[in-house]
Amino acid sequence: MIPLAQRFATGVAGAIEAAKIPWHVTRLGCRAEYLFRPNPPRNGGEAAGAADFDLERYMHLYALNRGVLLTPFHNMALMSPATTEADVDLHTRIFESAVREFTAA
């Protein structure tokens, strides 16, 4: 599960870098999460301050409408024993597309 979370984080980081947007992705074990700020928060207050409900809702609905369900809070993915490389790669393609459309607007 940890290698899949690393694959997820690498895919998200690549899309963020390609789009040149001030977001980041963090991974801890089999959990990965992206936030709409350039650097990881150092505490809960900074994490809450980075929240953007409308943008979070956009990313969730964009993914959901294309067959990927993220956790119903944050932009978090938890890898499980059932998660496959194909699942992670699908999310990466959807995330790249969402970022392209978002930044083109």
Side-chain angles (χ1 to χ4, degrees):
M1 295 182 301
I2 291 173
L4 289 172
Q6 182 59 52
R7 185 181 187 106
F8 182 98
T10 298
V12 168
I16 289 170
E17 184 177 324
K20 297 178 176 44
I21 53 178
W23 300 356
H24 80 277
V25 61
T26 300
R27 184 190 64 80
L28 178 63
C30 61
R31 173 183 181 247
E33 180 178 7
Y34 46 92
L35 290 171
F36 311 125
R37 57 178 282 145
N39 301 308
R42 294 175 295 173
N43 56 50
E46 286 184 5
D52 184 325
F53 179 75
D54 291 334
L55 183 52
E56 191 171 302
R57 184 170 45 180
Y58 166 80
M59 297 300 286
H60 279 249
L61 288 175
Y62 193 99
L64 182 60
N65 286 332
R66 288 154 183 83
V68 172
L69 176 64
L70 296 168
T71 58
F73 49 89
H74 309 290
N75 298 302
M76 183 191 320
L78 300 168
M79 305 304 135
S80 79
T83 305
T84 66
E85 288 183 356
D87 295 331
V88 172
D89 293 346
L90 174 62
H91 172 270
T92 297
R93 288 191 303 276
I94 291 169
F95 184 84
E96 290 168 340
S97 179
V99 168
R100 275 194 308 273
E101 289 186 30
F102 177 75
T103 57

